[in-house]
Amino acid sequence: MYQWRKFEFFEEKKTKIPEEIEGEIRCCSSGRGRIVLGSRDGTVSLLDRGLQHNHSFPAHSSSVVFLQLLKQRNFLVTVGEDEQLPPQKAAMCLKVFDLDKRQEEGPSTSAPECIQILRIFTNQFSEAEITSFLVFEEAPPIIFIALGLENGCIYCIQGDVARERIKRFKLEVQNGQPGKVHPITGIGFRVDGQAFQLFAVTPSSVSLFKVEAQTPTAQTLDYIGSEAGSVAMTDRSELIVGRPEAVYFYEIDGRGPCWAFEGEKKLVGWFRGYLLCVIADQRTGKYTFNIYDLKNRLIAHSIAVQEVSHMLCEWGNILLIMADKSALLVVEKDMESKLDMLFKKNLYPVAINLVQSQQADAVATAEVLRKYGNHLYSKQSYDEAMAQYIHTIGHLEPSYVIQKFLDAQRIHNLTNYLEKLHEKGLASKDHTTLLLNCYTKLKDVEKLDIFIKSEDGVGEHKFDVETAIKVCRAANYHEHAMYVAKKTGRHEWYLKILLEDLDRYDEALQYINSLEPNQAGLTVKEYGKILIEHKPKETVQILMRLCTEEGESARGGSSSFLAMLPSPVDFINIFVIHPQSLMEFLENYTNKVKDSPAQVEIHNTLLELYLSHDLDFPSLAQTGSSENAEPTGGRESSAVVMSRTQSNGKIRSDDASLERDRQERRQKGLVLLKSAWPSEQEQPQYDVDLAIILCEMNSFNEGLLYLYEKLKLYKEVIACYMQAHDHEGLIACCKRLGDSGKGGDPSLWASLLKYFGELGEDCSREVKEVLTYVERDDILPPILVLQTLSRNPCLTLSVIKDYIARKLEQESKMIEEDHIAIEKYQEETSSMRKEIQDLRTNARIFQLSKCSACTFTLDLPTVHFMCMHSFHQRCLGDNEKECPECAPEYRAVSEMKRSLEQNSKSQDYFFQQVRNSKDGFSIVAEYFGKGIISKTNKEPR
């Protein structure tokens, strides 16, 4: 034991017992923040923190032998001597005081209320000297009191002492030496679940009683004992027995550890895991107070003291009371001070054991380990230093350790640290990168296999998957990278390695085929360009399976099911340098699926492929259709240039073959334009505007004519013929599209006539044919025909001679008819004026003798109208102001007049009639003739 190091983990503060305590201190106890002292004169004193005297009171008339302050209730149990009246020898009694209750003892003094007094010795329990005393609090109000006697017996009192509901019994200690009686020098209680046990120590034995049984049983643990004062209990319910040669620990099964501390043990105790001993040197007679840390095998404090009479623990401190009433307060230093002391002496292992034994938090422990690691590192003990750093994982920043071991010579230590970091699941992406780089630098394939391919799922949870794949790939450990990618479902990385690093295209296609359709679609979008370039047919087959789900025959054809499948449009951009494969893919798809939700986009793309002069990737149809689409304008790659002369590896060197292929594609385009716009549908299954642009850009007149005709853009149709100088086709088109009886546009003939008038070449035959239809439908007046054709210097008057003659003859007939109508209107007007004048100036003679309504003979009263109609008044009824015979005609004229006046105010209606009429001037003349336009209303100013 002399090898144990000594430290100053405690500090002393000298003090003294208050002067108010005059008598000799015979016993003491502590608890609930107070210290209680029992004096030989029977007085009990209570001291507060700092040994400040609180108050004193007389507990016994003679002397206080033992006392104990209870923990659960503020009760004080004392054992002392009280004189009896009449005078007899002193009698021992037990008293219980309630410290929360006070009773007046004089005008200015008060004392705690004594709630019970028990005589210890009775007729059944003979009197003997009490050598030890201990109270155990069971479930309140039950307490267990044990009194060790000089005769080797233990008197036990159990129950509610305050109400005197108790039972008494006696325990006898077997010493192993018949005929000899040894006093009880120490008592200790142990509770383990339902087991309630009592340790009893004599100078010659250590015994254990099981008092929970109906009949207590005894067990002798050892046949060596101890003197009074050198017995205590630990916080783990172990019995401590101090003897001159050693300190012994006992449990229920016998003697436990033994610590050979030499010297007579005057007092022993237990404080926060420390063993407290007051040791007397038999040679010098001096006293030493030692505090032992048994777990760390060190002396936490040692000091020479005077004779110690009592030792207490309260307020987190140790109190030693000397025989001369001086006192020594021993205070434990804080953990930081202890560690600083150890660090200065480089006693790092002791510091580590200290923080662990005192259950310090993990951060404090890690800090000690870090300093120890730094110390070992400075001594170049790298393996030992790393062992300490590994224990700090989770509390110390890994970069602190990593920076110290980045040197290539210490890569093994760094690898070990990084492995532990991953095992605890605290590694970041950078740590994974570093560890894998260490493996690759060391070329330690075995450890790399263990790290990557471990069966316990370490590869899934203990490192960043993507980082591991990247590092293995960069170090050319492709198989390891592929293993991680496949195991964790990182399909994109698996395929990236297969295609970009290993060029294993067939294996990549097989892997894609094994994936779920959704995942397979995503991978094809990302790596389809590479697959199309090297395996076009197989890639198209995969796309057909994904977009049509050929295996799902039961659900095929359902529009709702098709909406759930990927759209071919999503994969178009992977064909950027292989338009021929794109065309084949879309053709196969449209042949198989007739009602795809993406039918319009597919047809747009096919049209651009069919109509392009050279088979190029569709750029117009895919504008904005995909975020990943690569621009094709501005810069042409060599692959695109090659695609213009090469299709899927087959060289096209013959111009005739190119032209034949172009014509075949155009024929397919025309078929698509017609088939995707059935006659029963108003809108086609493609973008009409885009189709027109494509036809114009690629000079595809057949498709352009079809689209213009379907859109009823007849002027654009004939413009195509005009541009091609196809006169026969132009006239045939006008015959087909210019017949108003069939819904055509007659104005096409006027446009055609204007075209021939501006042609600048002889086209007499065509003009004569056109004039036939212009004259038939009376499309243009002759003057406009003459003005239009006069611009062509190659046309002679003979071309229009017959037309002009017929028109003049027709005009003459019309003029003659107009003259006849004018004369008729003039005669009618003159007749009406004469009639009006006659009505104004001359009298009317009514000669009708019969009623115009009922045809009976007129009799009075009779009503005559100026129109020469006469009626019985009874036949007219209430309407006597207008003639029933002439009223309908008059109303029709009035209604017509009001209508004309109303129309004169509607300018839109007037101009609409002018626009829709073949001869707008006739409409204007009609309005003048009816007096609509000439009539003006002057509004008053």
Side-chain angles (χ1 to χ4, degrees):
M1 292 303 167
Y2 292 106
Q3 298 178 357
W4 282 24
R5 292 178 178 269
K6 290 185 179 181
F7 298 95
E8 296 299 326
F9 289 165
F10 290 78
E11 56 186 359
E12 313 93 29
K13 294 181 182 179
K14 292 184 178 181
T15 183
K16 62 180 180 178
I17 302 300
E19 296 179 355
E20 290 84 352
I21 303 174
E22 299 177 353
E24 178 187 350
I25 300 174
R26 189 167 182 183
C27 55
C28 61
S29 180
S30 64
R32 302 178 70 91
R34 289 183 290 189
I35 290 177
V36 183
L37 304 178
S39 303
R40 188 173 291 277
D41 60 1
T43 304
V44 172
S45 302
L46 281 76
L47 304 182
D48 292 334
R49 192 179 186 91
L51 299 181
Q52 298 296 320
H53 181 262
N54 188 309
H55 69 276
S56 301
F57 65 93
H60 295 271
S61 60
S62 178
S63 174
V64 180
V65 181
F66 296 99
L67 59 78
Q68 183 172 337
L69 190 61
L70 302 187
K71 307 291 185 182
Q72 299 183 24
R73 292 179 293 172
N74 197 16
F75 284 5
L76 177 66
V77 180
T78 65
V79 174
E81 298 177 4
D82 284 291
E83 295 181 355
Q84 291 183 331
L85 294 175
Q88 295 178 356
K89 65 178 181 179
M92 300 296 294
C93 67
L94 182 144
K95 293 185 178 182
V96 180
F97 295 91
D98 187 347
L99 299 182
D100 290 331
K101 298 179 180 180
R102 311 285 293 182
Q103 62 182 6
E104 300 296 331
E105 292 188 347
S108 60
T109 60
S110 63
E113 181 180 350
C114 180
I115 59 176
Q116 188 58 261
I117 300 176
L118 291 178
R119 293 294 177 183
I120 296 176
F121 301 111
T122 63
N123 294 332
Q124 296 178 352
F125 297 93
S126 59
E127 184 175 356
E129 181 181 353
I130 301 175
T131 56
S132 58
F133 167 76
L134 191 62
V135 180
F136 178 78
E137 295 179 84
E138 297 186 61
I142 306 301
I143 62 175
F144 191 102
I145 303 173
L147 299 109
L149 305 179
E150 188 179 20
N151 60 11
C153 296
I154 301 174
Y155 282 178
C156 300
I157 301 173
Q158 185 179 21
D160 185 356
V161 178
R163 298 181 181 180
E164 206 171 351
R165 296 175 180 175
I166 60 175
K167 71 174 181 177
R168 299 170 182 254
F169 57 92
K170 181 173 64 174
L171 303 175
E172 293 186 3
V173 176
Q174 302 296 328
N175 292 321
Q177 298 178 358
K180 289 188 178 182
V181 176
H182 296 279
I184 304 298
T185 56
I187 300 173
F189 288 106
R190 175 187 176 92
V191 177
D192 186 9
Q194 298 297 324
F196 182 41
Q197 297 153 339
L198 175 66
F199 286 106
V201 181
T202 69
S204 61
S205 66
V206 177
S207 302
L208 178 68
F209 292 91
K210 297 181 180 180
V211 296
E212 79 276 4
Q214 188 69 27
T215 302
T217 59
Q219 175 187 357
T220 302
L221 301 179
D222 202 350
Y223 287 102
I224 60 172
S226 173
E227 300 297 332
S230 57
V231 178
M233 294 293 293
T234 69
D235 50 12
R236 297 189 300 273
S237 298
E238 295 174 316
L239 178 69
I240 305 173
V241 176
R243 292 181 58 81
E245 71 280 4
V247 175
Y248 300 90
F249 285 75
Y250 291 90
E251 296 185 5
I252 59 175
D253 53 353
R255 184 193 299 177
C258 171
W259 303 93
F261 303 132
E262 294 182 357
E264 184 181 356
K265 314 304 185 294
K266 292 295 184 180
L267 294 171
V268 296
W270 189 261
F271 173 74
R272 293 181 176 177
Y274 294 105
L275 173 65
L276 312 179
C277 290
V278 177
I279 302 176
D281 192 333
Q282 297 175 353
R283 292 172 295 178
T284 62
K286 295 182 179 180
Y287 294 91
T288 305
F289 174 61
N290 289 337
I291 303 176
Y292 299 98
D293 185 347
L294 301 180
K295 185 172 184 180
N296 297 316
R297 295 178 176 269
L298 57 86
I299 300 175
H301 190 70
S302 180
I303 184 176
V305 294
Q306 301 176 11
E307 183 180 357
V308 180
S309 60
H310 302 283
M311 181 169 60
L312 297 169
C313 297
E314 188 62 31
W315 310 308
N317 303 323
I318 304 168
L319 179 64
L320 301 179
I321 301 177
M322 312 302 175
D324 59 358
K325 291 190 178 181
S326 63
L328 188 66
L329 196 63
V330 183
V331 182
E332 186 178 10
K333 294 180 180 180
D334 58 76
M335 180 62 70
E336 185 176 356
S337 300
K338 296 179 189 177
L339 294 177
D340 288 341
M341 188 184 307
L342 295 172
F343 293 155
K344 289 177 182 179
K345 298 179 180 180
N346 292 330
L347 298 175
Y348 294 98
V350 178
I352 294 171
N353 293 333
L354 182 64
V355 295
Q356 291 177 347
S357 64
Q358 296 196 0
Q359 298 180 350
D361 61 343
V363 176
T365 305
E367 179 63 17
V368 176
L369 291 168
R370 181 189 69 82
K371 291 185 176 182
Y372 187 28
N374 292 345
H375 173 70
L376 294 172
Y377 184 88
S378 64
K379 295 171 62 177
Q380 298 184 354
S381 299
Y382 300 119
D383 293 341
E384 294 81 358
M386 179 53 73
Q388 303 306 318
Y389 288 135
I390 286 174
H391 291 304
T392 66
I393 292 176
H395 306 285
L396 180 63
E397 179 63 34
S399 59
Y400 178 86
V401 180
I402 293 172
Q403 287 179 349
K404 290 179 175 291
F405 291 87
L406 281 178
D407 193 337
Q409 295 179 355
R410 296 188 286 276
I411 193 172
H412 293 281
N413 299 118
L414 180 59
T415 303
N416 186 24
Y417 180 80
L418 292 171
E419 287 174 347
K420 298 298 182 182
L421 203 62
H422 282 79
E423 285 178 8
K424 295 185 178 182
L426 300 174
S428 66
K429 297 180 181 180
D430 295 333
H431 299 149
T432 302
T433 303
L434 189 57
L435 178 58
L436 293 173
N437 283 328
C438 290
Y439 286 148
T440 55
K441 294 249 183 232
L442 295 171
K443 300 187 182 304
D444 194 340
V445 179
E446 183 179 354
K447 278 194 174 182
L448 184 61
D449 287 340
I450 294 174
F451 183 76
I452 294 296
K453 301 180 180 181
S454 57
E455 295 297 330
D456 58 353
V458 172
E460 295 180 10
H461 307 287
K462 296 301 178 68
F463 59 81
D464 183 75
V465 173
E466 188 168 342
T467 301
I469 296 172
K470 288 180 180 178
V471 175
C472 291
R473 184 188 180 200
N476 293 326
Y477 285 89
H478 296 115
E479 295 299 330
H480 293 82
M482 289 169 57
Y483 178 86
V484 175
K486 188 173 183 179
K487 184 177 180 182
T488 57
R490 301 297 178 92
H491 311 298
E492 67 279 4
W493 279 105
Y494 188 87
L495 292 171
K496 185 186 287 287
I497 297 169
L498 279 177
L499 297 174
E500 297 180 5
D501 299 337
L502 304 178
D503 297 335
R504 286 149 58 172
Y505 306 108
D506 291 330
E507 186 176 344
L509 289 168
Q510 292 176 1
Y511 185 77
I512 292 174
N513 266 325
S514 66
L515 298 177
E516 292 293 327
N518 291 338
Q519 190 61 48
L522 293 175
T523 55
V524 171
K525 287 179 186 178
E526 187 167 357
Y527 302 105
K529 293 178 184 177
I530 300 176
L531 294 172
I532 282 292
E533 185 175 356
H534 296 88
K535 297 288 181 179
K537 292 183 179 180
E538 293 83 353
T539 306
V540 169
Q541 290 176 358
I542 291 178
L543 290 176
M544 284 297 296
R545 181 181 67 83
L546 292 175
C547 296
T548 61
E549 201 63 38
E550 295 176 352
E552 301 285 344
S553 57
R555 295 183 293 178
S558 171
S559 59
S560 59
F561 173 67
L562 288 173
M564 298 169 59
L565 296 175
S567 171
V569 179
D570 299 336
F571 304 101
I572 287 178
N573 55 346
I574 70 174
F575 297 91
V576 65
I577 59 175
H578 289 276
Q580 180 68 35
S581 298
L582 173 61
M583 185 172 68
E584 294 174 0
F585 166 54
L586 295 180
E587 286 176 345
N588 292 336
Y589 181 82
T590 53
N591 291 336
K592 188 173 184 62
V593 180
K594 301 301 182 182
D595 54 350
S596 170
Q599 200 75 21
V600 174
E601 292 83 353
I602 295 172
H603 287 163
N604 290 343
T605 305
L606 278 173
L607 284 175
E608 190 163 356
L609 291 169
Y610 287 152
L611 302 183
S612 60
H613 187 270
D614 295 320
L615 188 56
D616 294 332
F617 180 77
S619 57
L620 293 179
Q622 297 307 310
T623 300
S625 66
S626 175
E627 295 181 358
N628 298 325
E630 297 183 357
T632 58
R635 178 177 61 87
E636 292 185 342
S637 65
S638 59
V640 174
V641 174
M642 184 179 296
S643 69
R644 295 181 176 179
T645 57
Q646 174 181 339
S647 176
N648 296 336
K650 297 180 180 180
I651 303 299
R652 297 175 178 267
S653 58
D654 189 6
D655 292 341
S657 176
L658 288 172
E659 182 61 28
R660 185 167 55 254
D661 178 71
R662 185 181 303 115
Q663 293 303 324
E664 289 177 358
R665 286 189 283 106
R666 292 201 169 195
Q667 188 61 34
K668 290 181 180 179
L670 183 60
V671 171
L672 178 59
L673 287 174
K674 293 180 179 180
S675 62
W677 197 345
S679 57
E680 65 273 7
Q681 293 184 1
E682 294 184 1
Q683 294 295 329
Q685 295 177 348
Y686 51 81
D687 188 339
V688 178
D689 295 334
L690 176 65
I692 292 174
I693 293 173
L694 291 173
C695 292
E696 289 181 346
M697 287 176 58
N698 297 283
S699 302
F700 184 46
N701 290 332
E702 293 181 17
L704 200 60
L705 291 173
Y706 173 78
L707 293 172
Y708 284 154
E709 193 168 333
K710 288 291 287 185
L711 294 171
K712 297 185 178 181
L713 299 175
Y714 300 141
K715 292 187 181 298
E716 282 75 6
V717 175
I718 64 173
C720 292
Y721 285 104
M722 292 176 184
Q723 187 176 0
H725 295 280
D726 184 2
H727 296 169
E728 292 183 3
L730 185 59
I731 294 174
C733 176
C734 286
K735 289 179 181 179
R736 187 175 73 255
L737 303 178
D739 189 352
S740 60
K742 297 180 180 180
D745 183 6
S747 65
L748 295 179
W749 293 106
S751 300
L752 185 56
L753 191 66
K754 181 179 179 182
Y755 165 74
F756 286 126
E758 297 174 350
L759 187 59
E761 62 182 45
D762 187 10
C763 50
S764 302
R765 182 177 60 83
E766 290 85 353
V767 170
K768 288 182 179 180
E769 186 173 0
V770 171
L771 287 176
T772 303
Y773 292 96
V774 171
E775 181 182 4
R776 184 192 68 180
D777 296 334
D778 196 14
I779 297 171
L780 292 174
I783 187 65
L784 289 181
V785 173
L786 289 174
Q787 291 175 352
T788 301
L789 296 179
S790 64
R791 298 170 186 167
N792 191 342
C794 298
L795 295 178
T796 62
L797 186 61
S798 60
V799 176
I800 60 172
K801 182 179 66 175
D802 296 338
Y803 168 75
I804 294 298
R806 289 193 299 273
K807 294 301 290 184
L808 289 175
E809 182 181 358
Q810 182 180 358
E811 292 291 336
S812 298
K813 290 181 180 179
M814 292 176 61
I815 291 171
E816 183 178 355
E817 292 174 357
D818 289 342
H819 281 301
I820 295 172
I822 290 170
E823 291 177 357
K824 177 182 177 183
Y825 291 147
Q826 286 177 345
E827 291 177 358
E828 291 178 354
T829 303
S830 177
S831 174
M832 290 179 182
R833 287 175 178 171
K834 288 180 180 180
E835 185 176 356
I836 292 171
Q837 183 64 25
D838 185 40
L839 289 173
R840 288 178 178 175
T841 57
N842 299 325
R844 282 279 185 176
I845 300 174
F846 300 100
Q847 297 179 349
L848 287 177
S849 60
K850 292 184 179 180
C851 176
S852 298
C854 61
T855 68
F856 289 106
T857 303
L858 290 172
D859 56 2
L860 296 178
T862 302
V863 179
H864 302 280
F865 290 96
M866 300 299 289
C867 59
M868 303 307 292
H869 291 121
S870 300
F871 299 91
H872 292 117
Q873 188 177 17
R874 63 177 176 273
C875 292
L876 292 176
D878 295 334
N879 189 8
E880 297 180 356
K881 295 184 177 181
E882 61 180 10
C883 173
E885 297 290 334
C886 301
E889 183 180 356
Y890 175 73
R891 289 196 191 97
V893 174
S894 299
E895 185 64 29
M896 185 183 299
K897 182 178 179 182
R898 281 194 302 271
S899 177
L900 291 173
E901 291 177 351
Q902 185 68 26
N903 290 340
S904 67
K905 299 177 182 179
S906 175
Q907 299 180 4
D908 294 339
Y909 179 72
F910 169 72
F911 287 110
Q912 183 181 359
Q913 284 187 304
V914 173
R915 283 194 297 268
N916 295 337
S917 174
K918 295 181 181 180
D919 186 5
F921 180 77
S922 62
I923 299 297
V924 177
E926 180 182 356
Y927 268 68
F928 272 104
K930 293 179 180 179
I932 297 175
I933 295 180
S934 60
K935 184 177 181 180
T936 58
N937 294 325
K938 294 183 179 181
E939 296 181 359
R941 295 182 180 179

